[in-house]
Amino acid sequence: MALINYSSREIHCKIVYYGTGLGGKTTNLEYVHKQLNPTIRGEMVSLNTANERTLFFDFLPLDLGSVQGFRTKFSLYTVPGQVEYNASRKLVLNGADGIVFVADSQMEKMEENGESLKNMEDNLSEYNMTLDSLPWILQYNKRDLPNAASLEMLERTLNTRGVLSFEAVAYEGTGVFQTLKAISKEVLNRLT
Amino acid sequence: MLNPQLTSLIVTTEGLKTITNILNKLKDETKARYIILVEKSGQMITSVGEETPFSMPLSALVAGAFASTREIAKLLGETEFNVMFQQGKTRNIYIYSLKTQDLLTVVFDESPMLGIVKLKTKQVADALGDEISSMLHKK
Ligand SMILES: Nc1nc2c(ncn2[C@@H]2O[C@H](COP(=O)(O)OP(=O)(O)OP(=O)(O)O)[C@@H](O)[C@H]2O)c(=O)[nH]1
Ligand SMILES: [Mg+2]
């Protein structure tokens, strides 16, 4: 839920990275954190399992400059992708202003991607939201892997609504900022 | 101008003044270090008292911790689980869920103050909840 503060002239928005386990959501935030100057990003907080999988969420606050005299502050969150952590996923989704769905491009992950997308819709509906009521975009990650599905196939399977989509290799940073820029723009477009 | 269509909470200058006054009084009465008002999805609405560089991650974590406590309550068949308290060696944190589900978060040093903190947060909870409700923009 966007928070507009007329007193401090700030806009706060929440963006959630959603998708299957090991798809690269945390890697996206880590790359953003590593690349940005500490003056425009805060500390990253990760609630992990012992083996570095997300248990509850990752959180990274960013200051993305001014729009119409308001400073725009974004809170980036990831959800835990592992199927059994749905309760946590639902909690993190609360109040989201925009979503990046990170799909794992690997051929054998196609079914999991679809299930995760369906799960996202189900969880959104608990907050009376649908995929048509808030801005969301797709990121096809792990494009570097030899077993990655073709772009056409990913589009056909996952992008039935024709939202913006980006190819990425998150651990190298390819596509990471492109994705972030696109979703933050879409979120701000709704507000201004 | 900004389009409040998707916006759910618009913090006005007057509204913020009212809230800050309530929080400052609460801070004095409870000898709190600082008090943070956290919107339920994890963003800070405002804070009073000592400046902390961690207010953003703190807000995100407080909202996360409370949200999971609330889910635990549900699993236990408990509906009235509206307070969370953690006691440390030197710092204590008391979190009270307003009727809007936003979180009044009081950080204080002296644990004997707990009774006062409990009493005083409860006394201001309704006024704060009303103020936030009046700033909510429903789609
Ligand atoms: N080959 C390849 N590996 C990647 C890419 N992006 C991330 N990885 C790796 O994939 C693994 C999982 O990445 P994470 O970012 O932890 O995945 P996640 O989506 O946060 O997973 P959960 O927290 O379990 O939901 C890590 O070992 C990353 O280094 C990529 O573009 N290509
Ligand atoms: Mg993760």
Side-chain angles (χ1 to χ4, degrees), chain A residues 28-99:
Chain A
N28 265 271
L29 261 63
E30 281 170 347
Y31 187 80
V32 170
H33 179 260
K34 197 169 67 193
Q35 290 297 311
L36 290 183
N37 191 302
T39 53
I40 59 172
R41 56 113 176 122
E43 282 314 305
M44 181 159 162
V45 175
S46 294
L47 302 182
N48 289 338
T49 63
N51 57 353
E52 297 286 299
R53 304 287 300 270
T54 304
L55 175 64
F56 196 172
F57 58 74
D58 300 296
F59 167 77
L60 176 65
L62 299 178
D63 185 331
L64 294 185
S66 289
V67 172
Q68 298 184 19
F70 281 76
R71 290 213 76 76
T72 58
K73 309 252 186 177
F74 283 84
S75 295
L76 308 188
Y77 284 82
T78 72
V79 299
Q82 294 183 79
V83 179
E84 58 269 36
Y85 296 150
N86 194 47
S88 314
R89 261 195 304 281
K90 208 183 300 172
L91 293 178
V92 175
L93 215 44
N94 190 6
D97 297 300
I99 299 176

Side-chain angles (χ1 to χ4, degrees), chain A residues 66-137:
Chain A
S66 289
V67 172
Q68 298 184 19
F70 281 76
R71 290 213 76 76
T72 58
K73 309 252 186 177
F74 283 84
S75 295
L76 308 188
Y77 284 82
T78 72
V79 299
Q82 294 183 79
V83 179
E84 58 269 36
Y85 296 150
N86 194 47
S88 314
R89 261 195 304 281
K90 208 183 300 172
L91 293 178
V92 175
L93 215 44
N94 190 6
D97 297 300
I99 299 176
V100 174
F101 187 88
V102 179
D104 191 325
S105 293
Q106 295 178 87
M107 204 62 193
E108 57 269 36
K109 296 282 181 171
M110 219 45 65
E111 196 180 341
E112 252 185 78
N113 286 327
E115 279 162 9
S116 177
L117 194 54
K118 172 75 174 59
N119 168 260
M120 181 169 99
E121 268 193 281
D122 289 347
N123 283 337
L124 280 173
S125 72
E126 301 226 359
Y127 298 112
N128 295 319
M129 292 193 283
T130 68
L131 288 181
D132 299 314
S133 70
L134 94 168
W136 71 284
I137 62 176

Side-chain angles (χ1 to χ4, degrees), chain A residues 21-27 53-54 80-81 141-142 144-145 169-171:
Chain A
L22 297 178
K25 301 175 293 296
T26 299
T27 309
R53 304 287 300 270
T54 304
N141 191 32
K142 305 202 179 180
D144 58 319
L145 293 178
V169 185
Y171 72 161

